[in-house]
């Protein structure tokens, strides 16, 4: 077997790195000194049992926690490259962060708008009004999300009329439309049937050619199938981070091994 | 064992079980009594509505035997108590429409803005303090609003516009608008708060600001609830009585100018019902025709609201 052949001929570029990040929900210490890199144009998966903090970590990247009172980032940070700025610093506008780091949610959440307007949303909030440019970019985003063929004839229909899998691809198109540097996926297939899941996974594999991907998943097979790097978290701590193949075949930590072999979690 | 459905003869051990499962006469009775009481309570409101409609239609029929419908709809004077009697409902309707438009110009924008603020911008504490105050506004007796309009708002408006009469549709309408604000804001806010957080998160995650999220995602998602709130506000405005009776003057006046005084359908009904017109006289009969008109207007808005709710039902 060639399992020992390490597939890293070129060192990947760092897109973001989490450094000693502490996060609290009120008094609950949800992330404890978490450190991990995110590599450019790679898919990084966050795995771990429920409540381990993987979604919490993901939502730090686009400052989603700012929406709710009582949440605190404390110490450490997430440094975005190449500008080398800490996303969590006080002077950083969360809206600017979200303009660059987009997100796809667990349950498809299309807006109560037409398919076109759903995708155009992220462009319109940036002030883009030019009709032909909107048309072009919506089309490009829908093509990027492998949805164009199915919806090109009915862009004015409500997004909610699509099937679950199509709705999720619509949400991916919406996230793609503004050309983000990083897309966060929060268990994007957990509400979908196996066929829709397969199409989303295929899509993510294609997307990582162009954009950096960070994905939370409950499904270890999914992490193994689509990610280049995997991080295993437990109780708010980063237990192990590594190249996906290596982490699944030869985990360094006993805890990781117990989890991925199904002895726990 | 004629009333059991067992396929085979029950054994001795099973007898107690089937005994226990059999309907108990006493419990059955109790259930029936409770059901009847509940039905009666529900039937009460339906019967009342039917009764009201019956009386209105019956008495209006008497009225329309004496006054042709075309006079009622197209005459430009409303003088049922004069010797030269005219029965043009448009005169009263114009007062109702004018005062309602003034009220709604106040209540709908302000109510919506308050709802957006409370639902999307205000912190928990602000909301908990502001909401009871707002609801208090809806609990003030309308007669108090009437005197507020007459003794405070009208003189204030006269400082800006000296020619304004003491009784005017404008001052009554403005105060009526303030009265309606809580109905509009409270229902709209409920509708907006019912919009799932996941939609807001989706909007924020795309880089939207709070205002963009409120106006472009939350409000469209809450359209049906907001439409219901508006319809309720309109119905309140059309049906409001005391404020207009006190502050708008009661002279029937065919005008759409809020700077004049005028009577509305409701204030006219108060006037006649309180007066000493003999029952059965045509003057007395007019209030049923006016009441029926009012009912038809409110019914139309309720139907519109029903249709809007169906058309824009929440699709999240």
């Amino acid at each position: 077997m060639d399992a020992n052949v390490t597939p890293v001929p070129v060192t990947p570029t760092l897109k973001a790195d989490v450094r000693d990040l502490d996060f609290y929900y009120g008094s609950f210490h949800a992330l404890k000194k978490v450190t991990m890199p995110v590599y450019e144009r790679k898919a990084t998966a966050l795995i771990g049992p429920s409540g381990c903090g993987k979604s919490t970590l993901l939502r730090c990247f686009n400052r989603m926690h700012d929406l709710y009172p009582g949440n605190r980032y404390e110490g450490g940070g997430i440094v975005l490259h190449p500008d080398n700025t800490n996303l969590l610093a006080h002077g950083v506008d969360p809206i600017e962060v979200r303009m660059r780091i987009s997100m796809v949610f667990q349950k498809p959440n299309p807006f109560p708008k037409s398919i076109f307007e759903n995708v155009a949303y992220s462009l319109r909030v940036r002030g883009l009004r030019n009709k032909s440019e909107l048309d072009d970019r919506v089309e490009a985003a829908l093509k990027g999300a492998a949805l164009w063929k199915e919806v090109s004839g009915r862009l004015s229909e409500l997004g909610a009329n699509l099937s679950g899998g199509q709705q999720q691809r619509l949400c991916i198109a919406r996230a793609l439309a503004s050309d983000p540097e990083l897309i966060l996926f929060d268990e994007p297939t957990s509400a979908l049937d196996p066929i829709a899941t397969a199409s989303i996974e295929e899509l993510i594999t294609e997307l990582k050619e162009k954009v950096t991907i960070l994905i939370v998943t409950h499904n270890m097979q999914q992490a193994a199938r689509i990610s280049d790097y995997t991080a295993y978290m437990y109780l708010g701590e980063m237990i192990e981070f590594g190249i996906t193949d290596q982490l699944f075949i030869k985990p360094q930590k006993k805890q990781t091994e117990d989890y991925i072999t199904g002895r726990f979690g | 064992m004629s009333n059991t459905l067992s396929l085979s003869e029950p054994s001795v051990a099973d007898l107690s079980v089937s005994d226990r499962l059999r309907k108990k006469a006493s419990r059955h009775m109790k259930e029936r009594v409770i059901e009847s009481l509940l039905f009666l309570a529900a039937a009460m409101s339906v019967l009342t509505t039917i009764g009201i409609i019956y009386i209105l239609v019956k008495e209006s029929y008497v009225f329309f035997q004496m006054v042709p419908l075309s006079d009622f709809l197209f005459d430009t004077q409303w003088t049922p108590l004069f010797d030269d009697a005219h029965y043009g409902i448009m005169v009263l309707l114009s007062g109702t429409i004018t005062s309602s438009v003034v009220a709604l110009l106040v209540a709908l924008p302000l109510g919506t803005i308050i709802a957006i603020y409370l639902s999307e911008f205000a912190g928990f504490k602000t909301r908990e303090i502001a909401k009871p105050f707002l609801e208090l506004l809806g609990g003030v007796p309308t007669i108090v609003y009437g005197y507020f309009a007459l003794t405070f708002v009208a003189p204030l408006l006269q400082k800006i516009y000296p020619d304004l009469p003491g009784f005017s549709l404008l001052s009554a309408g403005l105060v009526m608008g303030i009265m309606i604000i809580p109905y509009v804001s409270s229902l709209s806010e409920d509708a907006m708060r019912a919009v799932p957080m996941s939609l807001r998160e989706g909007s924020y995650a795309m880089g939207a600001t709070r205002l963009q999220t409120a106006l472009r995602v939350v409000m469209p998602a809450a359209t049906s609830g907001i439409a219901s709130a508006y319809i309720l506000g309109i119905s309140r405005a059309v049906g409001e009585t005391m404020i207009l009776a006190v502050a708008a003057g009661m002279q029937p006046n065919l005008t759409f100018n809020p700077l004049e005084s005028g009577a509305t359908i409701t204030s006219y009904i108060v006037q006649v019902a309180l007066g000493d017109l003999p029952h059965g006289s045509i003057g007395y009969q007019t209030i049923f025709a006016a009441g029926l008109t009012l009912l038809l207007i409110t019914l139309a808005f309720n139907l519109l609201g029903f249709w809007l709710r169906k058309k824009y039902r929440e699709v999240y």
Side-chain angles (χ1 to χ4, degrees):
Chain A
M1 289 298 286
D2 293 346
N4 291 331
V5 179
T6 39
V8 265
V10 198
T11 331
T13 330
L14 205 54
K15 181 67 211 168
D17 65 320
V18 186
R19 292 179 193 163
D20 291 328
L21 176 64
D22 276 295
F23 178 81
Y24 291 82
Y25 288 113
S27 59
F28 176 65
H29 199 171
L31 293 178
K32 297 166 188 163
K33 293 250 171 292
V34 169
T35 296
M36 73 173 278
V38 177
Y39 292 113
E40 185 149 2
R41 271 174 263 155
K42 302 282 176 198
T44 305
L46 297 170
I47 61 169
S50 294
C52 71
K54 52 195 191 306
S55 283
T56 306
L57 175 60
L58 188 82
R59 291 162 69 94
C60 286
F61 277 82
N62 65 346
R63 303 270 303 258
M64 222 48 186
H65 297 300
D66 292 30
L67 298 180
Y68 304 94
N71 296 342
R72 300 196 317 281
Y73 312 96
E74 205 148 287
I78 300 175
V79 177
L80 190 66
H81 298 286
D83 18 5
N84 209 25
T85 44
N86 181 2
L87 297 178
L88 305 180
H90 273 296
V92 173
D93 182 0
I95 289 171
E96 289 297 322
V97 172
R98 295 178 198 134
M99 295 250 173
R100 298 174 57 181
I101 301 179
S102 203
M103 183 165 180
V104 175
F105 294 81
Q106 190 169 356
K107 236 183 97 203
N109 55 351
F111 301 134
K113 296 174 182 293
S114 68
I115 293 171
F116 181 90
E117 286 303 328
N118 260 286
V119 182
Y121 188 78
S122 51
L123 303 169
R124 288 205 193 272
V125 298
R126 284 163 177 74
L128 187 68
R129 287 213 179 74
N130 183 313
K131 182 78 179 90
S132 67
E133 195 181 346
L134 277 174
D135 284 348
D136 291 347
R137 292 185 67 169
V138 167
E139 181 176 338
L142 284 168
K143 281 179 176 158
L147 192 58
W148 178 250
K149 278 186 194 140
E150 291 152 69
V151 303
S152 59
R154 47 189 187 127
L155 291 176
S156 55
E157 272 180 43
L158 272 183
N161 291 350
L162 298 172
S163 73
Q166 288 175 323
Q167 284 187 20
Q168 195 61 304
R169 276 181 283 151
L170 180 65
C171 293
I172 294 175
R174 181 174 80 184
L176 277 175
S178 56
D179 283 329
E181 299 161 37
L182 174 60
I183 301 185
L184 311 170
F185 287 86
D186 190 357
E187 298 187 38
T189 61
S190 64
L192 302 180
D193 64 68
I195 293 167
T197 299
S199 77
I200 301 280
E201 284 185 10
E202 194 189 325
L203 179 57
I204 292 175
T205 318
E206 282 168 26
L207 286 178
K208 69 184 185 190
E209 307 286 319
K210 286 170 273 174
V211 56
T212 310
I213 283 167
L214 188 59
I215 176 169
V216 165
T217 176
H218 253 110
N219 180 334
M220 279 180 280
Q221 286 75 27
Q222 182 171 71
R225 280 194 295 267
I226 62 178
S227 72
D228 304 293
Y229 295 89
T230 299
Y232 170 63
M233 294 181 70
Y234 181 61
L235 294 179
E237 289 179 69
M238 182 61 64
I239 305 296
E240 185 168 349
F241 175 88
I243 294 170
T244 299
D245 293 342
Q246 291 174 359
L247 188 125
F248 277 101
I249 292 163
K250 219 191 265 175
Q252 304 295 307
K253 298 268 173 62
K254 177 81 171 56
Q255 270 174 293
T256 316
E257 193 184 336
D258 285 351
Y259 182 71
I260 59 179
T261 52
R263 241 170 290 170
F264 151 79
Chain B
M1 306 305 299
S2 58
N3 60 345
T4 50
L5 287 168
S6 57
L7 292 172
S8 58
E9 201 62 22
S11 68
V12 182
D14 284 338
L15 263 178
S16 65
V17 175
S18 65
D19 269 353
R20 265 186 284 155
L21 288 176
R22 192 177 303 146
K23 276 184 178 173
K24 286 222 171 56
S26 65
R27 185 157 62 214
H28 187 59
M29 272 297 288
K30 219 165 114 190
E31 293 278 350
R32 288 297 295 268
V33 169
I34 291 172
E35 201 187 315
S36 317
L37 282 175
L38 293 177
F39 176 78
L40 278 178
M44 196 73 83
S45 65
V46 177
L47 287 176
T48 313
T49 313
I50 293 174
I52 290 173
I53 294 174
Y54 171 74
I55 301 239
L56 280 178
V57 171
K58 187 178 133 230
E59 299 289 334
S60 302
Y61 180 74
V62 176
F63 173 80
F64 284 117
Q65 298 227 298
M66 296 182 267
V67 177
L69 185 65
S70 59
D71 280 8
F72 185 70
L73 291 180
F74 301 116
D75 202 322
T76 55
Q77 287 181 65
W78 178 265
T79 53
L81 311 181
F82 293 5
D83 289 340
D84 174 28
H86 286 274
Y87 305 95
I89 191 71
M90 272 315 293
V91 178
L92 298 181
L93 204 54
S94 74
T96 294
I97 290 172
T98 309
S99 59
S100 297
V101 166
V102 172
L104 295 171
L105 284 177
V106 174
L108 299 190
L110 273 178
T112 312
I113 290 169
I114 291 172
I116 291 175
Y117 172 73
L118 286 180
S119 152
E120 304 301 311
F121 288 86
F124 176 78
K125 266 191 183 154
T126 322
R127 182 161 55 226
E128 291 311 294
I129 295 170
K131 275 205 89 171
F133 273 99
L134 209 59
E135 271 148 29
L136 203 67
L137 208 59
V140 175
T142 53
I143 186 83
V144 175
Y145 278 116
Y147 277 97
F148 176 65
L150 185 66
T151 60
F152 180 75
V153 176
L156 200 70
L157 289 172
Q158 280 170 329
K159 281 189 187 139
I160 304 164
Y161 183 76
D163 290 345
L164 190 78
F167 295 100
S168 71
L169 292 166
L170 179 67
S171 54
L174 286 179
V175 173
M176 195 156 84
I178 295 171
M179 183 206 79
I180 295 168
I181 286 174
Y183 295 92
V184 175
S185 70
S186 186
L187 272 187
S188 305
E189 192 221 332
D190 287 347
M192 287 191 227
R193 292 237 281 159
V195 172
M197 206 53 209
S198 66
L199 277 186
R200 287 189 189 88
E201 287 193 350
S203 170
Y204 286 121
M206 296 302 113
T209 61
R210 283 218 259 185
L211 189 64
Q212 286 169 333
T213 303
L215 296 181
R216 298 178 187 213
V217 172
V218 178
M219 274 190 63
T223 308
S224 86
I226 295 174
S228 305
Y230 285 8
I231 298 287
L232 179 75
I234 295 172
S235 297
R236 291 287 319 193
V238 170
E240 176 47 38
T241 310
M242 277 331 278
I243 298 177
L244 292 151
V246 171
M250 291 213 204
Q251 296 78 31
N253 185 359
L254 179 59
T255 179
F256 290 99
N257 180 0
L259 299 175
E260 292 180 26
S261 70
T264 63
I265 298 178
T266 52
S267 68
Y268 172 75
I269 294 175
V270 172
Q271 195 184 12
V272 171
L274 293 181
D276 34 35
L277 278 175
H279 286 219
S281 72
I282 185 161
Y284 193 78
Q285 243 23 65
T286 53
I287 66 173
F288 293 102
L292 186 65
T293 312
L294 203 58
L295 184 78
L296 288 176
I297 295 173
T298 344
L299 183 69
F301 280 114
N302 280 347
L303 289 177
L304 179 69
F306 182 73
W307 177 78
L308 282 175
R309 262 200 302 283
K310 263 183 76 167
K311 181 155 191 274
Y312 297 103
R313 68 184 195 288
E314 277 78 2
V315 273
Y316 5 89

